[in-house]
Amino acid sequence: MMKNFWILVIAIGVIIVLIGGYMGRHRIQSMLGMSPVQQVMQLKSTSTPPSSAVVPTDNIYKTKTNPVKGVYLTDFQGMTLYTFDKDAAGVSNCYGPCAAIWPFYTSGATAESMLPTNVTVITRKDGSKQFAWKGMPLYYYAKDQKAGDINGDGIGGVWHIGKP
């Protein structure tokens, strides 16, 4: 009788440990979206990305829609991006006082080959890097204070919200 009791206690203990381990693993998996093994495999696969890897667009640009202006480009935080008619493809012509009003979009810009379609990185005269859309350099407008502001569109007839 005593022997059966201890066998039952051990069996219940083993079952509790197995259930706890199973639930814990699935709880971790559901909290993180993938199991720890999948996370390790993900880290291994992204530590040396293949040449065909694509950077998600929302890390570089997003699009918004304005009822009047239509669809336009923003940075990853929703700040409007602009183009300048006096620029040429791959060349910025906004320096000095112009750049004070129209800061160039450079957040993390590097000359990588893994950029989304239509996004490139240009090198400015001072050697700094700037994102471009279809070759045209992208800028912010200093008077845009929050995501969704489009105060710079049409200024001087040469500044326009970036269009996808």
Side-chain angles (χ1 to χ4, degrees):
M1 177 90 170
M2 190 62 130
K3 185 177 179 183
N4 289 340
F5 173 78
W6 285 112
I7 292 174
L8 181 62
V9 168
I10 291 172
I12 290 173
V14 168
I15 291 170
I16 289 172
V17 168
L18 290 174
I19 289 172
Y22 178 80
M23 290 178 67
R25 186 187 80 184
H26 285 282
R27 183 173 301 134
I28 290 170
Q29 181 175 354
S30 66
M31 286 185 335
L32 300 174
M34 61 181 80
S35 72
V37 171
Q38 290 170 316
Q39 291 173 32
V40 169
M41 295 305 291
Q42 176 78 16
L43 286 173
K44 284 183 179 179
S45 69
T46 58
S47 61
T48 55
S51 60
S52 63
V54 175
V55 175
T57 57
D58 63 355
N59 289 341
I60 297 174
Y61 77 92
K62 293 183 178 186
T63 58
K64 283 196 168 193
T65 303
N66 176 283
V68 175
K69 305 286 185 174
V71 179
Y72 63 97
L73 297 172
T74 72
D75 71 0
F76 55 94
Q77 295 177 327
M79 295 300 291
T80 303
L81 297 170
Y82 298 88
T83 57
F84 184 38
D85 287 349
K86 295 182 180 181
D87 285 344
V91 178
S92 172
N93 289 308
C94 183
Y95 291 89
C98 175
I101 298 169
W102 299 94
F104 58 96
Y105 180 33
T106 185
S107 179
T110 59
E112 292 183 13
S113 62
M114 299 184 314
L115 294 170
T117 303
N118 296 321
V119 175
T120 55
V121 175
I122 66 163
T123 302
R124 296 172 56 82
K125 287 192 290 190
D126 63 3
S128 59
K129 305 293 184 188
Q130 178 177 3
F131 281 119
W133 178 260
K134 296 181 181 176
M136 296 305 291
L138 294 170
Y139 304 86
Y140 295 104
Y141 180 50
K143 292 186 180 179
D144 284 350
Q145 297 300 307
K146 64 185 183 313
D149 283 353
I150 53 173
N151 300 313
D153 190 43
I155 290 186
V158 294
W159 289 97
H160 310 283
I161 54 176
K163 293 290 202 164

